[in-house]
């Protein structure tokens, strides 16, 4: 085994001063006679195969539309309910630190409080909202509009995938729960022979499709395995800990894959300058600048991000926290 490994030799790179010679050779396309159709020669196969996979895993168009709608509803609900709890509830009356006067002439008090006594009127509720709350609502509304545009775009693209499933794969939405992904994969391989989805290869394999679906994830895993992106932090007492939060991963993907200054110009192709060896120093400086800008933006938006994550945590785990609190009270009463 050692003798076979020792036979490997590194490739000696020959660099020239001419930048045009540094570019790798371009792909050549196949010119076989194939059946032309709507699904021939798809430009972005990575996104196409990823949407085909997600369409199958979510059991068709109705579930995808419902997911997009619920995501938009969740943002609006969290925002409006948080504002309501902060500015529209009289907590002095709610916690009985102030009594409610039912008859102002005789100063008679009400022993039993109703929901109308606790909630402010709409005009007073709006007047209680200060500048910071309005500013936060504006940011959330702008974010919600972007999410709405993205949801409309996703629904339109998934409508194309639905048409592909019905017309090309002959799979209807009602049949999706009874069809495995392996069966869909076999139909995709047959579609390559008939309609030539990929222009650079005559035939596709399962590995080709999986590599396109998981391209960015494979890059991220490889960078972590090679120590280029070590998700580790040093804590004085505990030492080195592995930590890869959702926000940290989101920043990685934004920086390297789909951000405006990312090395990839689309889902499947690097920018041409990243293929030129003589520009490595310049690109390294640009990447350092992008990391600095992204770090400053994270620092500025950290209060908003923290509050949003805290609200999501509280609303998602309210029932768990409630039952945990009751269990603690039960144990305390039992011990006492």
């Amino acid at each position: 085994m050692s003798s076979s490994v020792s036979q490997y030799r590194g490739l000696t790179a020959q660099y020239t001063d001419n930048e045009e010679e540094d570019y790798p050779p371009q792909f050549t396309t196949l010119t076989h006679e194939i059946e032309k159709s709507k699904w021939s020669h798809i430009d972005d196969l990575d996104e196409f195969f990823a949407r085909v996979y997600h369409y199958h895993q979510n059991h068709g168009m109705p579930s995808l539309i419902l997911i997009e709608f619920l995501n938009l509803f969740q943002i609006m609900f969290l925002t409006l309910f948080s504002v309501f709890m902060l500015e529209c509830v009289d907590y002095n009356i709610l916690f009985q630190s102030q009594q409610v006067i039912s008859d102002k002439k005789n100063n008679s008090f009400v022993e039993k409080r109703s929901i109308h006594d606790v909630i402010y009127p709409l005009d007073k509720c709006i007047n209680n909202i200060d500048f910071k709350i309005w500013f936060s609502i504006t940011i959330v509304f702008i974010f919600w509009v972007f999410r709405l545009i993205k949801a409309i775009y996703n629904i339109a693209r998934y409508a194309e995938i639905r048409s592909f499933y019905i017309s090309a794969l002959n799979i209807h939405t009602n049949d999706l729960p009874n069809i495995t992904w392996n069966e869909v994969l076999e139909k995709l391989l047959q579609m390559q022979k008939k309609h030539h989805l990929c222009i650079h290869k005559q035939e596709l394999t399962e590995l080709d499709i999986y590599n396109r679906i998981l391209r960015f994830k494979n890059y991220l895993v490889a960078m972590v395995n090679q120590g280029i992106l070590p998700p580790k932090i040093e804590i004085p007492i505990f030492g080195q800990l592995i930590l890869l939060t959702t926000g940290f991963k989101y920043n990685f993907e934004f920086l390297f894959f789909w951000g405006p200054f990312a090395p990839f110009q689309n889902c499947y192709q690097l920018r041409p300058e990243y293929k030129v060896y003589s520009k490595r120093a310049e690109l390294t400086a640009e990447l350092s600048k992008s990391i600095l800008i992204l770090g400053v933006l994270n620092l500025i938006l950290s209060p908003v991000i923290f509050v949003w994550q805290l609200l999501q945590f509280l609303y998602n785990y309210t029932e768990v926290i409630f039952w945990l609190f009751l269990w603690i009270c039960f144990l305390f009463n039992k011990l006492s």
Side-chain angles (χ1 to χ4, degrees):
M1 182 68 180
S2 60
S3 61
S4 62
V5 174
S6 62
Q7 294 176 0
Y8 285 95
R9 295 291 183 270
L11 296 176
T12 57
Q14 296 179 355
Y15 308 111
T16 61
D17 295 333
N18 188 359
E19 292 186 358
E20 294 182 356
E21 296 181 1
D22 291 340
Y23 286 92
Q26 301 295 324
F27 287 109
T28 58
T29 60
L30 300 174
T31 58
H32 298 284
E33 292 295 331
I34 57 173
E35 181 183 352
K36 297 294 182 179
S37 70
K38 179 183 177 181
W39 314 110
S40 300
H41 301 174
I42 296 176
D43 294 332
D44 193 348
L45 276 176
D46 289 34
E47 182 184 7
F48 179 78
F49 286 145
R51 290 189 181 276
V52 168
Y53 176 76
H54 290 303
Y55 186 90
H56 173 268
Q57 295 298 305
N58 290 281
H59 305 294
M61 196 71 178
S63 299
L64 292 169
I65 295 176
L66 183 62
I67 290 172
E68 296 291 345
F69 172 77
L70 291 178
N71 288 334
L72 293 173
F73 177 76
Q74 181 188 28
I75 297 173
M76 295 301 297
F77 176 79
L78 289 178
T79 304
L80 296 178
F81 188 72
S82 300
V83 173
F84 172 79
M85 295 300 295
L86 288 173
E87 305 295 343
C88 300
V89 177
D90 191 343
Y91 290 98
N92 292 326
I93 297 178
L94 179 64
F95 295 110
Q96 299 182 0
S97 60
Q98 179 180 343
Q99 292 183 335
V100 181
I101 300 176
S102 61
D103 189 358
K104 295 183 178 180
K105 295 182 179 180
N106 301 324
N107 289 332
S108 60
F109 297 97
V110 180
E111 296 182 358
K112 186 177 182 180
R113 294 167 177 81
S114 65
I115 190 67
H116 301 288
D117 299 327
V118 176
I119 299 176
Y120 292 127
L122 181 60
D123 53 348
K124 187 176 181 180
C125 178
I126 295 176
N127 293 330
N128 289 339
I129 301 177
D130 56 5
F131 174 76
K132 293 184 293 184
I133 302 297
W134 280 118
F135 180 74
S136 301
I137 294 174
T138 304
I139 294 178
V140 173
F141 178 74
I142 294 173
F143 174 73
W144 187 84
V145 171
F146 279 106
R147 287 296 301 267
L148 176 62
I149 296 173
K150 184 180 178 182
I152 296 174
Y153 172 79
N154 288 335
I155 292 173
R157 296 307 301 268
Y158 279 118
E160 297 179 0
I161 301 300
R162 177 181 179 274
S163 176
F164 174 76
Y165 265 86
I166 295 175
S167 62
L169 301 182
N170 196 22
I171 299 175
H172 295 272
T173 304
N174 296 332
D175 301 329
L176 279 176
N178 302 321
I179 296 178
T180 63
W181 169 245
N182 289 331
E183 294 175 333
V184 177
L185 200 60
E186 292 177 0
K187 289 180 177 290
L188 285 175
L189 299 181
Q190 295 298 323
M191 279 289 299
Q192 169 65 16
K193 298 177 182 179
K194 183 178 180 181
H195 296 281
H196 219 205
L197 303 174
C198 179
I199 194 175
H200 303 302
K201 298 183 68 175
Q202 182 64 27
E203 295 184 359
L204 289 176
T205 63
E206 292 87 349
L207 185 60
D208 292 330
I209 297 177
Y210 281 126
N211 283 338
R212 288 183 176 274
I213 295 175
L214 301 173
R215 184 189 297 272
F216 287 165
K217 291 184 179 180
N218 288 338
Y219 272 115
L220 187 62
V221 171
M223 285 189 287
V224 172
N225 289 339
Q226 294 296 324
I228 301 175
L229 298 175
K232 303 175 183 178
I233 58 173
E234 292 287 343
I235 298 181
I237 298 177
F238 299 97
Q240 191 179 75
L241 296 178
I242 305 297
L243 181 64
L244 182 60
T245 62
T246 303
F248 199 26
K249 179 175 173 290
Y250 181 86
N251 280 279
F252 277 153
E253 294 176 350
F254 178 83
L255 185 64
F256 291 104
F257 300 139
W258 53 270
F261 306 105
F264 286 85
Q265 64 182 7
N266 49 42
C267 293
Y268 61 94
Q269 192 175 18
L270 283 170
R271 290 194 289 170
E273 55 267 26
Y274 277 85
K275 303 174 185 179
V276 181
Y277 181 81
S278 57
K279 292 188 175 182
R280 292 183 65 183
E282 178 183 351
L283 295 173
T284 303
E286 290 182 2
L287 182 60
S288 300
K289 183 179 178 180
S290 301
I291 293 174
L292 178 61
I293 294 174
L294 188 61
V296 172
L297 287 176
N298 276 270
L299 183 62
I300 295 174
L301 297 176
S302 58
V304 179
I305 296 173
F306 173 75
V307 172
W308 181 258
Q309 290 182 342
L310 181 62
L311 290 176
Q312 279 195 321
F313 173 80
L314 291 177
Y315 292 148
N316 289 333
Y317 297 98
T318 299
E319 185 177 1
V320 177
I321 297 174
F322 174 74
W323 287 109
L324 180 62
F325 176 76
L326 290 182
W327 179 252
I328 294 175
C329 292
F330 171 76
L331 292 178
F332 179 78
N333 292 332
K334 188 176 181 180
L335 291 175
S336 60

